[in-house]
Amino acid sequence: MDLMSKRDFFSAIPTQIALGNHDLDTYKHGWIYDINESVEIALAYEHRFHMPQIRPPIREPASLKGFTTSGQPTDFVPYEYGNAYYSFTFGPSKHIVLSSYSSFREGSLQHEWLLSELKSVDRSVTPWLIVMIHCPLYTTFKTHCHEIFITEAQAILEPLFVEYTVNFVIAGHVHAYMRTYPMAFSRRNPRGPVHIIQGNGGKAVCEPYHNETTEEWVAVRDQSEFGYGRLELFNSTHAMWKLIKTGHDEGGEFEPNLNLLDEIWVRNQLYVAGMSVNKDWEDNL
């Protein structure tokens, strides 16, 4: 029986997943395998979840020489299709789920598939375009910021996201929270995506900031509160994003008030074509 069918929560709530570094299965009994071994990556991830696959997965044994001693990959892994990357439509939104750890360099299978998906989206039918990916393209936090899965995504994927007017890029990986203004190429731009790091749902929330001064493209950042995000699409032009506190502080103590840590209206970037970067900025938020 599939793992998700045993969970009452998952039986009632649609759940779409994105491949993370801990899903690569480079650990055995809490310790990394012998560095000279090769392992079958994402074994549990493929067998326990059933996403809307493009085609069956292609997975090859991965040498552990391509991983750090903590199990973090140092380069892309041999994993295509399956649960690695896929897309689905939900109401007025098209969702594209990407793999941070499968190659997305130009000419790769994932890159070619992504191009095809972006070109095929009919925004008159699905006016909202949302990308989910484990590693963020932008981060205000020091942890992971120099990994190629972030730096190369910014160089290779961001131009596509801007060209095809992606509305939201939702990521995790970093155990903290961040939301940017609509932005493009490291500057605030009302036609660019809103980047969200929703990594404060569990484990710990303690990532150090990269800079003490908040970057000009960061709207909200937090390294101390647990929470979860909620995106509501009200119509083709307006959406609301909320970050809701779970009720536990950084020390694990329960606090009964489920306060909003962040709340923002977002106008669909498709409909702000005539707006400059600075003019009428508040009208887009």
Side-chain angles (χ1 to χ4, degrees), residues 12 21 30 48 56 78 85 99 104 121 126 183 186 208 273 284:
N21 51 299
R48 292 179 175 174
Y85 46 90
S99 167
F104 46 74
V121 178
T126 51
M183 64 177 296
S186 300
N284 190 44

Side-chain angles (χ1 to χ4, degrees), residues 24-156:
L24 294 176
D25 293 340
T26 55
Y27 281 86
K28 178 171 59 177
H29 306 305
W31 297 94
I32 196 166
Y33 289 78
D34 186 284
I35 196 67
N36 294 312
E37 288 187 61
S38 293
V39 296
E40 185 177 2
I41 55 175
L43 183 62
Y45 179 80
E46 268 298 328
H47 285 83
R48 292 179 175 174
F49 300 99
H50 299 292
M51 296 298 106
Q53 299 185 354
I54 312 158
R55 52 178 288 187
I58 300 174
R59 293 179 299 124
E60 298 177 5
S63 171
L64 288 176
K65 292 180 180 179
F67 293 81
T68 66
T69 54
S70 63
Q72 177 71 23
T74 57
D75 203 347
F76 297 113
V77 299
Y79 182 18
E80 307 290 343
Y81 304 119
N83 291 337
Y85 46 90
Y86 57 93
S87 68
F88 62 96
T89 298
F90 185 75
S93 56
K94 174 75 172 185
H95 298 250
I96 297 177
V97 181
L98 298 176
S99 167
S100 289
Y101 301 108
S102 306
S103 177
F104 46 74
R105 292 170 178 147
E106 292 187 20
S108 67
L109 291 174
Q110 182 171 206
H111 189 272
E112 293 301 307
W113 171 81
L114 173 60
L115 273 175
S116 176
E117 285 293 297
L118 291 171
K119 291 177 180 178
S120 69
V121 178
D122 184 348
R123 301 301 283 271
S124 68
V125 177
T126 51
W128 294 97
L129 180 54
I130 301 166
V131 168
M132 186 165 71
I133 186 170
H134 185 67
C135 297
L137 276 66
Y138 285 93
T139 178
T140 186
F141 303 99
K142 186 179 296 185
T143 308
H144 301 305
C145 67
H146 298 300
E147 293 175 0
I148 64 166
F149 314 106
I150 292 177
T151 58
E152 291 202 22
Q154 192 176 126
I156 298 169

Side-chain angles (χ1 to χ4, degrees), residues 206-223:
C206 57
E207 304 289 7
Y209 294 124
H210 192 268
N211 298 300
E212 290 188 11
T213 303
T214 304
E215 294 84 351
E216 61 91 17
W217 37 265
V218 174
V220 179
R221 66 180 188 176
D222 181 80
Q223 56 166 199

